[in-house]
mmCIF file of all heavy atoms in Angstrom:
data_model
loop_
_atom_site.group_PDB
_atom_site.id
_atom_site.type_symbol
_atom_site.label_atom_id
_atom_site.label_comp_id
_atom_site.label_asym_id
_atom_site.label_seq_id
_atom_site.Cartn_x
_atom_site.Cartn_y
_atom_site.Cartn_z
ATOM 1 N N LEU B 106 -112.337 -53.028 -124.178
ATOM 2 C CA LEU B 106 -112.934 -52.599 -122.948
ATOM 3 C C LEU B 106 -112.977 -53.846 -122.025
ATOM 4 O O LEU B 106 -112.427 -54.908 -122.378
ATOM 5 C CB LEU B 106 -114.350 -52.125 -123.163
ATOM 6 C CG LEU B 106 -115.418 -53.184 -123.568
ATOM 7 C CD1 LEU B 106 -116.769 -52.624 -123.265
ATOM 8 C CD2 LEU B 106 -115.294 -53.480 -125.055
ATOM 9 N N CYS B 107 -113.372 -53.643 -120.771
ATOM 10 C CA CYS B 107 -113.485 -54.784 -119.878
ATOM 11 C C CYS B 107 -114.362 -55.853 -120.475
ATOM 12 O O CYS B 107 -115.419 -55.622 -121.020
ATOM 13 C CB CYS B 107 -114.089 -54.360 -118.511
ATOM 14 S SG CYS B 107 -114.427 -55.779 -117.461
ATOM 15 N N ASN B 108 -113.869 -57.085 -120.443
ATOM 16 C CA ASN B 108 -114.584 -58.180 -121.069
ATOM 17 C C ASN B 108 -115.662 -58.852 -120.142
ATOM 18 O O ASN B 108 -116.303 -59.817 -120.571
ATOM 19 C CB ASN B 108 -113.579 -59.269 -121.545
ATOM 20 C CG ASN B 108 -112.795 -58.788 -122.691
ATOM 21 O OD1 ASN B 108 -113.290 -58.749 -123.819
ATOM 22 N ND2 ASN B 108 -111.550 -58.406 -122.479
ATOM 23 N N HIS B 109 -115.740 -58.369 -118.995
ATOM 24 C CA HIS B 109 -116.691 -58.917 -117.996
ATOM 25 C C HIS B 109 -116.541 -60.410 -118.009
ATOM 26 O O HIS B 109 -117.553 -61.162 -118.244
ATOM 27 C CB HIS B 109 -118.083 -58.438 -118.271
ATOM 28 C CG HIS B 109 -118.213 -56.944 -118.131
ATOM 29 N ND1 HIS B 109 -118.326 -56.347 -116.915
ATOM 30 C CD2 HIS B 109 -118.052 -55.967 -118.973
ATOM 31 C CE1 HIS B 109 -118.313 -55.041 -117.013
ATOM 32 N NE2 HIS B 109 -118.097 -54.736 -118.289
ATOM 33 N N CYS B 110 -115.363 -60.847 -117.790
ATOM 34 C CA CYS B 110 -115.034 -62.293 -117.850
ATOM 35 C C CYS B 110 -115.948 -63.096 -116.961
ATOM 36 O O CYS B 110 -116.301 -62.607 -115.872
ATOM 37 C CB CYS B 110 -113.601 -62.505 -117.384
ATOM 38 S SG CYS B 110 -112.388 -61.483 -118.213
ATOM 39 N N PRO B 113 -113.421 -64.039 -113.779
ATOM 40 C CA PRO B 113 -112.605 -62.815 -113.769
ATOM 41 C C PRO B 113 -111.368 -62.943 -112.870
ATOM 42 O O PRO B 113 -111.520 -63.069 -111.613
ATOM 43 C CB PRO B 113 -113.538 -61.757 -113.296
ATOM 44 C CG PRO B 113 -114.578 -62.496 -112.523
ATOM 45 C CD PRO B 113 -114.673 -63.866 -113.125
ATOM 46 N N PRO B 114 -110.169 -62.919 -113.419
ATOM 47 C CA PRO B 114 -108.998 -62.944 -112.576
ATOM 48 C C PRO B 114 -108.875 -61.756 -111.639
ATOM 49 O O PRO B 114 -108.329 -61.833 -110.578
ATOM 50 C CB PRO B 114 -107.819 -63.017 -113.533
ATOM 51 C CG PRO B 114 -108.346 -62.836 -114.871
ATOM 52 C CD PRO B 114 -109.809 -62.941 -114.853
ATOM 53 N N CYS B 115 -109.450 -60.635 -112.089
ATOM 54 C CA CYS B 115 -109.345 -59.393 -111.291
ATOM 55 C C CYS B 115 -110.132 -59.621 -109.958
ATOM 56 O O CYS B 115 -109.665 -59.149 -108.915
ATOM 57 C CB CYS B 115 -109.917 -58.202 -112.036
ATOM 58 S SG CYS B 115 -111.559 -58.537 -112.664
ATOM 59 N N ALA B 116 -111.284 -60.291 -110.037
ATOM 60 C CA ALA B 116 -112.048 -60.505 -108.855
ATOM 61 C C ALA B 116 -111.392 -61.525 -107.964
ATOM 62 O O ALA B 116 -111.460 -61.453 -106.751
ATOM 63 C CB ALA B 116 -113.495 -60.913 -109.246
ATOM 64 N N THR B 124 -113.863 -55.911 -106.038
ATOM 65 C CA THR B 124 -114.257 -56.295 -107.399
ATOM 66 C C THR B 124 -114.955 -57.654 -107.338
ATOM 67 O O THR B 124 -114.488 -58.587 -106.665
ATOM 68 C CB THR B 124 -112.966 -56.517 -108.237
ATOM 69 O OG1 THR B 124 -112.293 -55.311 -108.324
ATOM 70 C CG2 THR B 124 -113.311 -57.021 -109.652
ATOM 71 N N VAL B 132 -118.948 -57.578 -114.186
ATOM 72 C CA VAL B 132 -117.871 -57.407 -113.226
ATOM 73 C C VAL B 132 -117.711 -55.949 -112.842
ATOM 74 O O VAL B 132 -117.671 -55.091 -113.732
ATOM 75 C CB VAL B 132 -116.510 -57.935 -113.784
ATOM 76 C CG1 VAL B 132 -115.400 -57.735 -112.835
ATOM 77 C CG2 VAL B 132 -116.665 -59.378 -114.184
ATOM 78 N N CYS B 145 -105.587 -55.994 -109.009
ATOM 79 C CA CYS B 145 -106.517 -56.364 -110.085
ATOM 80 C C CYS B 145 -105.931 -55.933 -111.447
ATOM 81 O O CYS B 145 -106.108 -56.619 -112.470
ATOM 82 C CB CYS B 145 -107.941 -55.789 -109.892
ATOM 83 S SG CYS B 145 -107.974 -54.006 -109.694
ATOM 84 N N ALA B 148 -103.567 -58.390 -112.512
ATOM 85 C CA ALA B 148 -104.152 -59.720 -112.858
ATOM 86 C C ALA B 148 -104.935 -59.656 -114.186
ATOM 87 O O ALA B 148 -105.044 -60.680 -114.865
ATOM 88 C CB ALA B 148 -105.117 -60.174 -111.752
ATOM 89 N N CYS B 149 -105.487 -58.502 -114.552
ATOM 90 C CA CYS B 149 -106.272 -58.481 -115.787
ATOM 91 C C CYS B 149 -105.382 -58.603 -116.989
ATOM 92 O O CYS B 149 -104.473 -57.853 -117.224
ATOM 93 C CB CYS B 149 -107.032 -57.129 -115.842
ATOM 94 S SG CYS B 149 -107.814 -56.888 -117.497
ATOM 95 N N PRO B 150 -105.655 -59.643 -117.801
ATOM 96 C CA PRO B 150 -104.766 -59.862 -119.002
ATOM 97 C C PRO B 150 -105.040 -58.966 -120.116
ATOM 98 O O PRO B 150 -104.416 -59.059 -121.150
ATOM 99 C CB PRO B 150 -105.062 -61.350 -119.342
ATOM 100 C CG PRO B 150 -106.308 -61.719 -118.650
ATOM 101 C CD PRO B 150 -106.654 -60.687 -117.650
ATOM 102 N N TYR B 151 -106.035 -58.060 -120.024
ATOM 103 C CA TYR B 151 -106.479 -57.219 -121.104
ATOM 104 C C TYR B 151 -106.153 -55.806 -120.950
ATOM 105 O O TYR B 151 -106.575 -54.944 -121.717
ATOM 106 C CB TYR B 151 -107.942 -57.414 -121.348
ATOM 107 C CG TYR B 151 -108.384 -58.843 -121.510
ATOM 108 C CD1 TYR B 151 -108.949 -59.542 -120.487
ATOM 109 C CD2 TYR B 151 -108.149 -59.447 -122.805
ATOM 110 C CE1 TYR B 151 -109.347 -60.858 -120.664
ATOM 111 C CE2 TYR B 151 -108.584 -60.791 -122.952
ATOM 112 C CZ TYR B 151 -109.108 -61.458 -121.918
ATOM 113 O OH TYR B 151 -109.487 -62.801 -122.056
ATOM 114 N N ASN B 152 -105.416 -55.390 -119.905
ATOM 115 C CA ASN B 152 -105.161 -53.999 -119.582
ATOM 116 C C ASN B 152 -106.474 -53.186 -119.562
ATOM 117 O O ASN B 152 -106.516 -52.111 -120.047
ATOM 118 C CB ASN B 152 -104.248 -53.360 -120.617
ATOM 119 C CG ASN B 152 -102.829 -53.722 -120.347
ATOM 120 O OD1 ASN B 152 -102.491 -54.344 -119.368
ATOM 121 N ND2 ASN B 152 -101.905 -53.349 -121.286
ATOM 122 N N ALA B 153 -107.503 -53.827 -119.013
ATOM 123 C CA ALA B 153 -108.812 -53.189 -119.042
ATOM 124 C C ALA B 153 -109.073 -52.400 -117.771
ATOM 125 O O ALA B 153 -110.043 -51.673 -117.672
ATOM 126 C CB ALA B 153 -109.874 -54.213 -119.269
ATOM 127 N N ARG B 154 -108.165 -52.512 -116.777
ATOM 128 C CA ARG B 154 -108.381 -51.882 -115.530
ATOM 129 C C ARG B 154 -107.546 -50.597 -115.417
ATOM 130 O O ARG B 154 -106.449 -50.575 -115.925
ATOM 131 C CB ARG B 154 -107.934 -52.822 -114.376
ATOM 132 C CG ARG B 154 -108.759 -54.048 -114.274
ATOM 133 C CD ARG B 154 -109.278 -54.084 -112.891
ATOM 134 N NE ARG B 154 -110.676 -54.562 -113.000
ATOM 135 C CZ ARG B 154 -111.469 -54.519 -111.987
ATOM 136 N NH1 ARG B 154 -111.107 -53.968 -110.832
ATOM 137 N NH2 ARG B 154 -112.703 -54.979 -112.075
ATOM 138 N N ALA B 179 -113.126 -49.987 -113.897
ATOM 139 C CA ALA B 179 -113.148 -50.427 -115.292
ATOM 140 C C ALA B 179 -114.606 -50.264 -115.778
ATOM 141 O O ALA B 179 -115.524 -49.867 -114.961
ATOM 142 C CB ALA B 179 -112.753 -51.903 -115.398
ATOM 143 N N THR B 237 -110.455 -67.253 -119.308
ATOM 144 C CA THR B 237 -111.226 -66.244 -118.514
ATOM 145 C C THR B 237 -112.658 -66.101 -118.919
ATOM 146 O O THR B 237 -113.465 -65.438 -118.267
ATOM 147 C CB THR B 237 -110.515 -64.906 -118.639
ATOM 148 O OG1 THR B 237 -110.335 -64.585 -120.033
ATOM 149 C CG2 THR B 237 -109.154 -64.882 -117.942
HETATM 150 S S1 LIG C 1 -111.422 -57.895 -118.677
HETATM 151 FE FE1 LIG C 1 -110.028 -57.512 -116.984
HETATM 152 S S2 LIG C 1 -111.161 -56.120 -115.637
HETATM 153 FE FE2 LIG C 1 -112.674 -57.032 -117.049
HETATM 154 S S3 LIG C 1 -113.464 -58.817 -115.961
HETATM 155 FE FE3 LIG C 1 -111.762 -59.573 -117.234
HETATM 156 S S4 LIG C 1 -110.020 -59.510 -115.838
HETATM 157 FE FE4 LIG C 1 -111.565 -58.203 -114.892
#
Side-chain angles (χ1 to χ4, degrees):
Chain B
L106 69 160
C107 171
N108 288 286
H109 297 278
C110 308
C115 53
T124 297
V132 177
C145 55
C149 171
Y151 305 101
N152 282 352
R154 292 237 143 194
T237 50

